[in-house]
Amino acid sequence: MAAQCCCCKAPGAEAAPARPPPEPPPALDVASASSAQLFRLRHLQLGLELRPEARELAGCLVLELCALRPAPRALVLDAHPALRLHSAAFRRAPAAAAEPPCAFAFAAAGPGPGPGPGPGPAPPPPLPAFPEAPGAEPACRPLAFRVDPFTDYGSSLTVTLPPELQAHQPFQVILRYTSTDAPAIWWLDPELTYGNAKPFVFTQGHSVCNRSFFPCFDTPAVKCTYSAVVKAPSGVQVLMSATQSSYVEEEGVYRFHMEHPVPAYLVALVAGDLQPADIGPRSRVWAEPCLLPTATSKLAGAVEQWLSAAERLYGPYMWGRYDIVFLPPSFPIVAMENPCLTFIISSILESDEFLVIDVIHEVAHSWFGNAVTNATWEEMWLSEGLATYAQRRITTETYGAAFTCLETAFRLDALHRQMKLLGEDSPVSKLQVKLEPGVNPSHLMNLFTYEKGYCFVYYLSQLCGDPQRFDDFLRAYVEKYKFTSVVAQDLLDSFLSFFPELKEQSVDCRAGLEFERWLNATGPPLAEPDLSQGSSLTRPVEALFQLWTAEPLDQAAASASAIDISKWRTFQTALFLDRLLDGSPLPQEVVMSLSKCYSSLLDSMNAEIRIRWLQIVVRNDYYPDLHRVRRFLESQMSRMYTIPLYEDLCTGALKSFALEVFYQTQGRLHPNLRRTIQQILSQGLGPGAEPSAEQASAAADSGVDADAPALLLGDEAPSSAISLRDVNVSA
């Protein structure tokens, strides 16, 4: 996943008047303000009401905890300025049978927003509540709390605890809150969906955004089970990343339960005009009605094939169902491995090979990332590198080694491109990245996390000499650490224990390939896989690229035109175009010949191909094909197909063209994406640049404020040096 930083919001939290004494515990995770090391989180319960008209979520959170030492003065949770806490309460945990699980009370549906009977605006609707039976014990006690700044992506919420609390004594903390304009919660008006009929909302918690969804220990080191009850407007389907779900018609609520411990970032929700279709014995797809036939036809039978292959390699799938929900183009990344319910952007449906790889990668996360999780964001490669290795073992078993080697070559090409742009001394090229306080962990998401991590895991597999034996090791590793969080040393110690003969040979200390160097050296991977089994697919790409860079051009173009790329795999064509992009700007006569040979053909292919050709057009200022760029941007609402083109347009001679197209299309873009593009345009146009009269008129016609400030309220503009296409991988 190329996680875009979407966790910076303006302050606006409201605190209770009482201020408990501070308790600054040492942080295990520099990205978390919480006192997670002082407590054991047993379970959390969420009562949520979705209010799309107000773009607000109202919540009641019940944390079931045990203190690990006597009389802790306070509980510190991760929160966010977008989250307004209204009350905090304490009670001793009731006996297991004293109350039904996840019992929340919601206000009855009223006539809707409008003025009250007296002067002034109507009072806000009541919040969900965690009810008590009259006279029941144990009774709730109000708690004092305060909210303090932490970083630009979150706050710390300190809740005073009763002084008589004993170690290991179960208790509950009940928090009632509202969350508005939260970076984790993406509200879409009907116009931003395919059906244009109903509002849509989804959450995206990776890496540290879910602290704006609900107060939590927002660190991957802490896992717990959870339950939820969700009330939504009539006709809106609600889904969550849970092993059990149901709709209670008489109450008008959805109920969910996740029976396995998960970290906070994997609690996910989506709601909208969604319909299901079964695609296998334990899988279904959910999508808007107009997308459902396409999604079903592309994945029917395939997901079960991939799950079965993964089970043969790494042991039983432990999450019950594996469902997929296709989200509108506003989804900020390609895919997210939420347990039981993979989120994936619907834009990828037209690119079959990318769809296959993205879903298989999320399937692999069921073992590596969801079951066994990196304990800190500084070692994300433990999830992403292992998931990428497992993904490629699954594709090898399912589609053969040649296809896997082609996809690997394509990704490693992108890795080396990123390496050239960042420089070999870039600290983010380490597998064990040092996360400085205040730095958003999302900034650490890059191709090194995936591909350098994959190369290290592949190297380990080669040390044992047999991929099947390494599969056996990974199966044992998952069995040992499932539902826990680990550090790199856990993986490497387990590896050397599983292969004692390698430990005796001191393979961890081989000169130049030391495990410590793999983890902490900057630069490219210390070793890369042998991809010769993919030469039947990669050799034609190399040959065609060489033809187009050969002299004389007329002869080269004639030879190149005899090669029918319409029969190529998508990854072959994408790899060829990436090589041309790397060589841009090209001589104008070469670009003219390329356009004559390929432009119409490529225009009929999927978006992953088209965007690459259009980037070549832009980087070479090839005006005859500029109308294709305009048409593409007019039809796209996704980050991954708009940001790269706007970046290229604004670093070349086509800034005015970019501004004109943006003003004509911005009304169809999600506000977060709109702000990101505004920032790119602002940087590209330079200080004092003013839109032309024609551009201002286009902005007025679009119904969007032409003078809207180019500020990043929820996203960070990508660096113009690194195209989003090079980092926009699955989570």
Side-chain angles (χ1 to χ4, degrees):
M1 174 183 66
Q4 300 301 307
C5 172
C6 57
C7 301
C8 303
K9 297 281 180 177
E14 180 174 299
R19 294 180 61 87
E23 181 171 73
L28 293 176
D29 179 347
V30 297
S32 173
S34 73
S35 55
Q37 69 274 29
L38 303 179
F39 299 89
R40 182 169 73 87
L41 179 58
R42 303 162 66 226
H43 186 73
L44 69 83
Q45 301 182 50
L46 284 165
L48 305 173
E49 183 175 356
L50 306 180
R51 300 171 177 173
E53 288 190 4
R55 305 174 83 85
E56 178 183 82
L57 178 141
C60 181
L61 168 69
V62 182
L63 297 170
E64 300 182 8
L65 300 146
C66 285
L68 299 180
R69 70 184 194 194
R73 297 166 63 192
L75 168 70
V76 184
L77 299 169
D78 292 302
H80 193 276
L83 191 150
R84 177 185 173 190
L85 191 66
H86 294 265
S87 67
F90 167 92
R91 75 171 182 176
R92 292 185 178 86
E99 63 182 357
C102 215
F104 289 94
F106 297 90
L127 300 175
F130 194 62
E132 293 182 80
E137 289 290 342
C140 286
R141 297 165 51 181
L143 297 175
F145 63 89
R146 73 163 189 267
V147 179
D148 295 310
F150 175 58
T151 64
D152 66 353
Y153 57 84
S155 309
S156 68
L157 167 61
T158 303
V159 181
T160 302
L161 295 176
E164 68 273 13
L165 191 64
Q166 298 300 307
H168 309 294
Q169 173 190 347
F171 66 96
Q172 294 177 336
V173 170
I174 303 168
L175 306 173
R176 300 175 74 198
Y177 67 95
T178 50
S179 191
T180 309
D181 196 28
I185 307 171
W186 292 60
W187 300 95
L188 308 185
D189 293 329
E191 296 75 24
L192 292 179
T193 68
Y194 284 101
N196 298 307
K198 296 179 182 178
F200 201 100
V201 63
F202 62 84
T203 65
Q204 171 59 19
H206 196 290
S207 304
V208 288
C209 288
N210 262 4
R211 61 191 65 186
S212 68
F213 180 10
F214 56 94
C216 57
F217 294 148
D218 199 1
T219 168
V222 175
K223 293 185 171 185
C224 74
T225 56
Y226 82 87
S227 303
V229 180
V230 184
K231 184 177 180 62
S234 176
V236 172
Q237 174 70 50
V238 181
L239 307 171
M240 289 191 75
S241 54
T243 50
Q244 301 169 30
S245 62
S246 62
Y247 179 66
V248 185
E249 188 169 357
E250 58 271 23
E251 299 177 29
V253 298
Y254 292 86
R255 292 186 175 274
F256 303 94
H257 180 71
M258 168 53 78
E259 64 190 86
H260 303 303
V262 295
Y265 78 89
L266 290 178
V267 177
L269 177 148
V270 59
D273 186 12
L274 295 167
Q275 293 185 359
D278 289 336
I279 55 170
R282 48 184 162 173
S283 301
R284 65 173 59 101
V285 292
W286 293 85
E288 292 187 65
C290 60
L291 289 178
L292 194 60
T294 301
T296 304
S297 65
K298 298 215 173 190
L299 292 174
V303 171
E304 182 59 29
Q305 185 182 15
W306 303 333
L307 285 170
S308 297
E311 287 184 312
R312 290 192 297 272
L313 294 169
Y314 305 121
Y317 178 75
M318 58 201 82
W319 302 94
R321 295 198 59 81
Y322 184 89
D323 293 343
I324 299 169
V325 58
F326 284 93
L327 275 66
S330 298
F331 188 50
I333 58 175
V334 178
M336 182 64 204
E337 68 272 16
N338 300 309
C340 309
L341 186 67
T342 286
F343 285 17
I344 192 162
I345 193 168
S346 52
S347 311
I348 207 72
L349 275 169
E350 67 173 277
S351 305
D352 289 358
E353 289 180 24
F354 282 80
L355 174 66
V356 166
I357 292 301
D358 290 329
V359 176
I360 292 177
H361 185 84
E362 307 314 316
V363 166
H365 268 309
S366 302
W367 286 263
F368 306 101
N370 294 0
V372 185
T373 308
N374 47 283
T376 75
W377 295 118
E378 295 172 318
E379 293 189 322
M380 271 190 272
W381 75 273
L382 284 169
S383 290
E384 297 301 347
L386 280 161
T388 302
Y389 178 86
Q391 161 212 311
R392 288 174 180 153
R393 288 289 292 127
I394 296 168
T395 58
T396 299
E397 292 292 308
T398 310
Y399 300 106
F403 175 72
T404 299
C405 289
L406 170 65
E407 185 267 334
T408 305
F410 169 78
R411 297 295 188 194
L412 289 178
D413 232 39
L415 175 71
H416 288 291
R417 184 179 308 115
Q418 195 172 102
M419 185 82 267
K420 290 177 184 176
L421 293 169
L422 292 173
E424 294 202 2
D425 294 330
S426 172
V428 300
S429 65
K430 295 181 180 181
L431 291 183
Q432 283 186 331
V433 185
K434 175 65 174 175
L435 182 63
E436 297 297 334
V439 175
N440 192 313
S442 295
H443 294 321
L444 305 184
M445 291 294 291
N446 55 54
L447 280 173
F448 298 99
T449 303
Y450 295 80
E451 298 303 334
K452 189 173 181 178
Y454 159 75
C455 287
F456 184 28
V457 178
Y458 181 87
Y459 172 71
L460 295 177
S461 76
Q462 295 300 293
L463 287 176
C464 70
D466 181 357
Q468 284 72 37
R469 289 188 69 205
F470 192 68
D471 294 336
D472 293 341
F473 157 66
L474 289 179
R475 180 192 287 248
Y477 165 78
V478 170
E479 181 61 30
K480 178 178 180 180
Y481 290 110
K482 65 182 178 183
F483 308 129
T484 67
S485 300
V486 299
V487 296
Q489 203 59 49
D490 295 321
L491 172 69
L492 299 177
D493 287 348
S494 296
F495 175 76
L496 294 175
S497 296
F498 195 88
F499 299 106
E501 69 278 12
L502 297 180
K503 185 175 183 178
E504 291 177 7
Q505 298 168 24
S506 299
V507 295
D508 57 324
C509 299
R510 286 186 178 175
L513 292 166
E514 301 91 342
F515 289 0
E516 190 278 334
R517 180 174 296 193
W518 270 103
L519 296 175
N520 291 300
T522 60
L526 303 182
E528 293 189 7
D530 175 9
L531 302 179
S532 59
Q533 288 182 285
S535 60
S536 62
L537 297 174
T538 56
R539 199 183 300 118
V541 175
E542 291 290 347
L544 185 60
F545 175 71
Q546 292 301 325
L547 280 173
W548 280 108
T549 54
E551 297 284 351
L553 177 60
D554 291 346
Q555 182 178 337
S559 300
S561 63
I563 299 175
D564 185 4
I565 67 170
S566 68
K567 294 182 170 59
W568 277 11
R569 289 183 173 272
T570 292
F571 280 118
Q572 288 179 288
T573 308
L575 183 59
F576 168 61
L577 295 174
D578 277 349
R579 296 285 170 85
L580 292 173
L581 269 169
D582 290 342
S584 293
L586 300 162
Q588 273 298 298
E589 59 270 19
V590 172
V591 182
M592 289 176 62
S593 295
L594 284 167
S595 177
K596 182 179 179 181
C597 193
Y598 300 125
S599 188
S600 296
L601 174 64
L602 297 175
D603 208 32
S604 66
M605 293 186 178
N606 63 59
E608 290 290 341
I609 299 299
R610 296 203 309 279
I611 190 173
R612 286 168 166 80
W613 168 245
L614 296 177
Q615 284 186 276
I616 292 171
V617 168
V618 170
R619 290 189 190 182
N620 289 277
D621 297 330
Y622 188 64
Y623 288 85
D625 272 357
L626 211 54
H627 67 284
R628 302 185 193 273
V629 177
R630 179 190 297 274
R631 189 169 69 240
F632 186 82
L633 288 174
E634 286 173 348
S635 67
Q636 294 293 334
M637 297 185 291
S638 164
R639 296 180 63 87
M640 64 184 189
Y641 296 138
T642 53
I643 297 289
L645 279 171
Y646 276 109
E647 287 181 321
D648 286 344
L649 286 166
C650 287
T651 55
L654 298 168
K655 303 179 186 69
S656 296
F657 172 83
L659 196 62
E660 177 187 334
V661 174
F662 173 69
Y663 277 133
Q664 291 174 345
T665 61
Q666 62 176 324
R668 299 194 295 272
L669 304 177
H670 188 277
N672 288 356
L673 176 58
R674 192 186 308 151
R675 285 190 288 262
T676 302
I677 297 174
Q678 284 175 323
Q679 179 71 10
I680 294 169
L681 291 167
S682 172
Q683 293 171 346
L685 292 171
E690 296 290 339
S692 68
E694 292 82 0
Q695 292 160 349
S697 174
D701 292 341
S702 73
V704 180
D705 181 7
D707 297 321
L711 298 176
L712 294 181
L713 301 183
D715 294 280
E716 181 166 301
S719 164
S720 60
I722 302 173
S723 175
L724 189 66
R725 68 184 173 83
D726 291 339
V727 293
N728 195 19
V729 287
S730 304

